[in-house]
Amino acid sequence: MGNTGSAAQTRCSRRDCRADATWALVWNNPKLHTPDRRKVWLACDEHRQYLTDFLDMRGFLRETVPMAEFEG
């Protein structure tokens, strides 16, 4: 869903959201990814909890990092 890099790519990963991301949700799917593999969804303040719950419910969420501290 979300990527980091250019300004256009720092938007929230929630579908149809155009807000700037303020959080990086770091995750992996242990059924598909090696333990060291990390994927990232970006979240605005409004959608952080929704995306966190989605990943956490599946056991995918590894950490939530403020964008200012994220080193993607």
Side-chain angles (χ1 to χ4, degrees):
M1 280 185 159
N3 297 314
T4 59
S6 72
Q9 294 177 319
T10 57
R11 302 275 185 230
C12 180
S13 296
R14 177 78 162 112
R15 185 171 43 180
D16 297 327
C17 183
R18 302 286 185 245
D20 290 331
T22 52
W23 297 95
L25 308 177
V26 182
W27 64 279
N28 85 342
N29 180 342
K31 292 181 181 178
L32 301 175
H33 306 123
T34 60
D36 61 326
R37 173 83 189 270
R38 294 295 184 257
K39 299 191 62 96
V40 179
W41 281 358
L42 303 178
C44 65
D45 288 334
E46 180 181 351
H47 294 117
R48 175 187 173 198
Q49 194 61 54
Y50 173 85
L51 294 171
T52 296
D53 290 348
F54 181 92
L55 292 169
D56 199 34
M57 185 176 359
R58 290 158 177 79
F60 295 172
L61 186 64
R62 301 296 170 247
E63 65 179 320
T64 301
V65 183
M67 284 299 290
E69 300 173 18
F70 180 66
E71 299 177 15

